[in-house]
Amino acid sequence: MKPKTVDKIATAVIIGVAAFIVLLLIGLLGFILVRGLGHISFSFLTSAPESFREGGGIGPQLFNSLFLLVLTMIITVPIGIGAGIYMSEYAKPSKLTDFIRLVVEVLSSFPSIIVGLFGLLMLVNYFGLGFSLLAGALALTVFNLPLMVRITEQGLKSVPREQKEAALALGLTKWKTITSIMLPIALPIIVSGTILAAGRVFGEAAALLFTAGMSSPRLDFSDWNPLSPVSPLNPLRPAETLAVHIWKINSEGLAPDAAEIAAGASAVLVITVLLFNLIARWLGRFMYRKFTATK
């Protein structure tokens, strides 16, 4: 077979696979949104769920998901970026460094149910955090930390060596070179890693069943004291997230409109993830242009 013919066949196969993936994604999102958009309303987004009656909402679960995302990112991002900087710029090549990278990769592939059981034994019982948002955030950090470390390391290594050497030649310290030259250039890659980590926080359910719990106390949205047991900002209270609520409604929901609530909650979850991705990408591009003075 002629090389040009082989090239055309390979190109057609690649385009076909890409088109299939795009169509599959569009079909999946369309199915979820078409089923759920009709059930979304202001009352649905802000009211509390009902166990046996129709008309329940997802207000506390939606707030819990967003609050858990904030808590997890506060813990994950600084540690992940710091560890990524160390692995990229300070760790000397050795068997120990290779072993650490292997451990990070293995940790990222752990099944979520195993991480959940680890969180139940260590965070909930041994350290006495109980079923709480903080325990859930720490368990999700176990998922997200390897991803953030690897993404940051790869982002810093993608910076052209000439730019790094030019900064050092001008007399900048190594830390100043990293923070002023390398991190801004690597920022789009780090933002992409953050988006992937955030998406996992939104969609995770198995690990949170054993750490954050499957129920949420009646919240008083006029009480913003983080130490109050009914305050939405209390990180030590149990919290059912949106993903856990969808699983719970589908598996053991007794409300007559349980299927409609699950469909509406699924659509809200998908829209929330999409909005977060768009905002994070816009913020990443804005910061990249600001730090690198590019238009």
Side-chain angles (χ1 to χ4, degrees), residues 60 63-64 67 133 216-238:
F63 178 85
N64 290 338
F67 190 33
L133 277 164
S216 184
R218 184 66 66 177
L219 300 179
D220 182 2
F221 282 91
S222 63
D223 183 0
W224 297 103
N225 179 6
L227 301 178
S228 172
V230 295
S231 169
L233 297 183
N234 187 349
L236 297 178
R237 63 175 174 81

Side-chain angles (χ1 to χ4, degrees), residues 25 28-33 37 40 62 202 242 246 263-277:
L25 183 62
L28 180 63
L29 291 177
F31 176 75
I32 295 173
L33 294 176
L37 282 179
I40 298 177
L62 181 59
F202 277 121
L242 203 52
I246 293 170
S266 301
V268 171
L269 189 60
V270 169
I271 293 171
T272 305
V273 172
L274 291 176
L275 286 176
F276 179 82
N277 286 0

Side-chain angles (χ1 to χ4, degrees), residues 39 44 65 78 87 101 116 124 129 142 163 166 168 205 242 250 279:
H39 306 291
F44 180 73
S65 295
M87 295 296 292
R101 287 197 178 94
V124 175
L129 294 178
V142 176
Q163 286 184 280
L168 294 172
L242 203 52
N250 274 319
I279 294 172

